[in-house]
Amino acid sequence: AALPKATVLDLSCNNLISLPSDFCSLMHLVKLDLSKNRLQQLPLDFGRLVNLQHLDLLNNRLVTLPVSFAQLKNLKWLDLKDNPLDPVLAKVAGDCLDEKQCKQAAVKVLQHMKAIQSEQDRQRQRKLQAEREMEKKREAEQRAKEAQERELRKREKAEEKERRRREYDAQKAAKQEMEKKTKKENVQTRKPASSSRPPQPPRHKRSWSRSVLRVLFFVLLCVLCTLAACKLTELQHQPLCVSVNTLYEDVLAALQNHKTLQNLLQQNSQQ
């Protein structure tokens, strides 16, 4: 790591089991020999060695290569012999017995790793798309649930309003019925009392009769006063009193004659 600009590195025959991640900071490497070690895997960011052209991985314990291997666009020579490679990868890499085969191995392995990278990208995109669709579905379900809850609250509110209206109408109808019943009972209670009363003459007729009686009483009173004045006072020699006294004598004689006639008629009827 202290030599970041190194271009050629030979670590063969060292029984290396793994490489640290900082190893990929040697981005100026052009030729790298890792043959005859015990490497089981390469760092995940091995593709950072973009300037690498020659790579020797002979006689290690590699089964697969990191997906970032597809970024080694300048790789022109590759040897993967004597590794327990995945059958598909082993078939793609082929043998590296001469310069031509090693160059073909580099080209085919790069294409294969690019295809794997593309497939992983597509899978990642599909997974991301599925997660987005799932998120949209959850959001749609949440909106539908909220809309359903709002509709339910709205319906409950409408039902509560209708229930209160019916209760109000029922109370109003009961109140009206009670008022009608009370009014009917009051009418029935007043009818017998009114029927038991004797018929009374109209008010204006009673007033007229009383007025006539008062006038007659006043006239009689005046006549008696006049008669008493003409009989008992010194006014009896006045012309008016003389006429009143004469009229009184005539009326008294007529009443006596009338009484005498009644007695005669009564005696005749008895005979």
Side-chain angles (χ1 to χ4, degrees), residues 56-210:
D56 192 348
L57 294 171
L58 172 70
N59 194 11
N60 278 280
R61 299 178 182 180
L62 297 173
V63 178
T64 59
L65 297 174
V67 179
S68 65
F69 198 91
Q71 301 174 9
L72 302 177
K73 58 183 178 179
N74 292 316
L75 188 63
K76 297 177 181 179
W77 195 96
L78 177 62
D79 188 358
L80 286 172
K81 291 191 309 295
D82 299 332
N83 280 282
L85 295 174
D86 178 78
V88 177
L89 180 59
K91 183 178 180 180
V92 171
D95 294 327
C96 183
L97 302 177
D98 53 27
E99 189 74 16
K100 183 178 180 180
Q101 288 181 348
C102 292
K103 288 182 178 180
Q104 289 179 352
V107 173
K108 291 181 179 179
V109 169
L110 281 178
Q111 291 177 351
H112 177 69
M113 297 308 298
K114 286 180 180 179
I116 293 177
Q117 186 180 41
S118 299
E119 180 63 24
Q120 288 187 355
D121 290 341
R122 285 192 294 269
Q123 289 180 358
R124 193 179 299 108
Q125 289 295 328
R126 285 195 294 269
K127 183 178 180 180
L128 183 60
Q129 183 67 23
E131 290 177 354
R132 290 176 179 174
E133 291 179 356
M134 184 62 67
E135 184 65 24
K136 289 181 180 179
K137 185 177 179 181
R138 285 195 295 266
E139 291 177 356
E141 290 177 352
Q142 183 65 23
R143 288 194 296 269
K145 184 178 179 180
E146 291 176 356
Q148 186 177 2
E149 291 177 354
R150 287 195 300 270
E151 185 65 24
L152 180 61
R153 289 194 297 268
K154 184 178 180 181
R155 185 164 60 251
E156 290 177 352
K157 187 176 180 180
E159 290 177 355
E160 180 66 16
K161 185 177 181 181
E162 180 65 19
R163 185 183 64 81
R164 291 181 179 179
R165 188 188 64 80
R166 288 197 299 267
E167 290 180 354
Y168 174 76
D169 293 342
Q171 292 177 358
K172 186 177 180 181
K175 185 177 180 180
Q176 291 178 353
E177 185 67 23
M178 183 63 68
E179 291 177 354
K180 289 182 180 179
K181 186 176 180 181
T182 304
K183 187 175 181 181
K184 185 176 180 180
E185 291 177 353
N186 293 336
V187 171
Q188 291 178 354
T189 304
R190 286 196 299 268
K191 278 185 177 180
S194 59
S195 60
S196 61
R197 292 178 182 177
Q200 297 180 358
R203 185 178 297 273
H204 65 278
K205 289 185 177 181
R206 291 198 302 269
S207 300
W208 182 81
S209 301
R210 290 177 181 176

Side-chain angles (χ1 to χ4, degrees), residues 207-225:
S207 300
W208 182 81
S209 301
R210 290 177 181 176
S211 300
V212 171
L213 290 175
R214 289 175 181 176
V215 171
L216 291 177
F217 178 76
F218 180 73
V219 171
L220 180 59
L221 183 60
C222 292
V223 170
L224 292 177
C225 291

